[in-house]
Amino acid sequence: MDGTNALGEFLRARRALVRPEDVGLPGGGLRRVPGLRREEVALLAGISSDYYLRLEQGRDRNPSAQVLRAVARVLRLDDDATAHLLRLGRERSAAPAAARSGRRPEQVPPSIRQLIDAWPRTPAYVQNRYTDCLAANALATALTPSYSPGVNLLRAVLLDPAERALRRDWTDLTAEGVAALRAQADPDDPRLRDLVGELSLRSERFRTLWARHDVRPRRSRISHLSHPQVGDLDLHSDKMTIDGTDGLTLVVFHAEPGSRSAELLDILGSLAAPGHVTEGQRVEET
């Protein structure tokens, strides 16, 4: 991940995803690159080809929001991707190091730890902007050992075969996870560069998704799990930003009341409860 021209990297990647016919231009013919040509983007956005080239090359340090919105319309960006493009444009004239120096400590408030530990029937964990798990309650860890402090969740989901077997929605989950990481990305952040570099080397799925430059902030979703102890679970996964922290997110799972998933979650909670004795342990004790 190269932070020297994040705006240009984003524009090139998104330009490659738009077909000429998508924007009313004739398709077909030989093209050296997929998607739109630079001059086509410039024409449709109402700017000069030279100016658009300067944008992609990172030679314009302070692009206007009006120009970037015009380019976003041509590239068919949704609201999230447009907001990301505008942020990249603002960061070209900002001082990333100064912004990072003002970040608050990455610590889970004690009250949040107490809160999730008091939920014996509700799995919950806390993650940072890099998807590192910082805190989790017992039932979250019973869903998967990856919900444990010190585990990077995106790395686990992409690289651990057990996680892939657990996630019936692995394809959608990985796409959403990489897009969420991109949405919070600071190209000058060494921690993020290290994570992106590692996953790019070890995961073809990550390389493909990261190259698309999709952007989607973390949102609530329904997680479809196939748990080795209790079977298939469909759980709401709600995400809430924790005030007073540097972008920490509280993730809480719950099932529809009265559903089979709610029943199975209660069974999993009983299995994970302190003092629970398995059949194997009973045999050993006798």
Side-chain angles (χ1 to χ4, degrees):
M1 181 180 180
D2 182 2
T4 58
N5 187 19
L7 176 63
E9 292 175 8
F10 182 74
L11 290 174
R12 285 191 294 273
R14 302 304 301 190
R15 177 164 59 86
L17 298 177
V18 182
R19 300 174 303 172
E21 51 267 34
D22 293 335
V23 292
L25 296 175
L30 295 177
R31 285 178 173 258
R32 291 182 299 172
V33 294
L36 297 178
R37 300 184 178 100
R38 290 191 185 96
E39 56 268 25
E40 291 171 335
V41 176
L43 175 67
L44 294 170
I47 58 178
S48 71
S49 296
D50 179 67
Y51 183 73
Y52 182 77
L53 177 62
R54 283 159 46 203
L55 282 178
E56 282 204 1
Q57 291 179 340
R59 291 189 286 128
D60 189 323
R61 302 299 303 181
N62 191 27
S64 72
Q66 181 180 2
V67 166
L68 293 179
R69 287 195 178 95
V71 172
R73 286 194 294 272
V74 175
L75 299 182
R76 303 168 62 87
L77 302 185
D78 61 16
D79 290 344
D80 293 330
T82 299
H84 181 69
L85 176 62
L86 293 171
R87 178 169 68 85
L88 292 177
R90 290 193 301 269
E91 287 177 352
R92 291 207 59 78
S93 58
R100 285 197 303 274
S101 66
R103 285 184 175 171
R104 291 158 288 196
E106 190 182 73
Q107 296 178 349
V108 180
S111 61
I112 297 295
R113 292 182 182 274
Q114 294 167 7
L115 178 67
I116 64 176
D117 285 342
W119 292 341
R121 301 179 62 185
T122 305
Y125 69 90
V126 177
Q127 69 177 23
N128 62 13
R129 66 179 67 245
Y130 313 107
T131 73
D132 296 322
C133 182
L134 304 180
N137 64 13
L139 191 50
T141 305
L143 277 178
T144 168
S146 292
Y147 293 144
S148 300
V151 175
N152 182 272
L153 300 176
L154 186 58
R155 180 191 292 120
V157 168
L158 285 165
L159 302 180
D160 186 345
E163 282 295 315
R164 183 160 188 172
L166 173 71
R167 314 282 180 170
R168 290 162 27 226
D169 55 354
W170 184 86
T171 299
D172 290 340
L173 178 66
T174 51
E176 292 171 16
V178 174
L181 184 68
R182 171 75 71 180
Q184 296 196 354
D186 175 354
D188 296 295
D189 187 337
R191 171 72 179 87
L192 183 69
R193 284 202 301 267
D194 289 346
L195 179 61
V196 170
E198 177 194 357
L199 294 178
S200 296
L201 288 173
R202 301 180 63 188
S203 170
E204 181 180 357
R205 173 69 172 163
F206 179 85
R207 289 194 301 274
T208 300
L209 293 172
W210 191 253
R212 287 180 55 87
H213 284 249
D214 289 336
V215 177
R216 182 182 180 188
R218 292 191 180 103
R219 292 196 177 101
S220 299
R221 66 189 307 274
I222 296 180
S223 293
H224 302 286
L225 308 177
S226 188
H227 196 275
Q229 288 181 285
V230 298
D232 289 353
L233 294 159
D234 299 311
L235 303 177
H236 291 275
S237 170
D238 291 317
K239 300 172 177 63
M240 294 159 275
T241 301
I242 302 175
D243 290 341
T245 67
D246 181 22
L248 299 191
T249 301
L250 172 62
V251 183
V252 181
F253 295 96
H254 63 96
E256 290 288 341
S259 66
R260 177 60 174 164
S261 290
E263 179 183 351
L264 295 176
L265 194 58
D266 282 342
I267 293 173
L268 182 62
S270 299
L271 295 174
H276 174 77
V277 180
T278 66
E279 289 300 321
Q281 288 173 322
R282 290 193 182 97
V283 171
E284 291 178 0
E285 289 171 358
T286 56

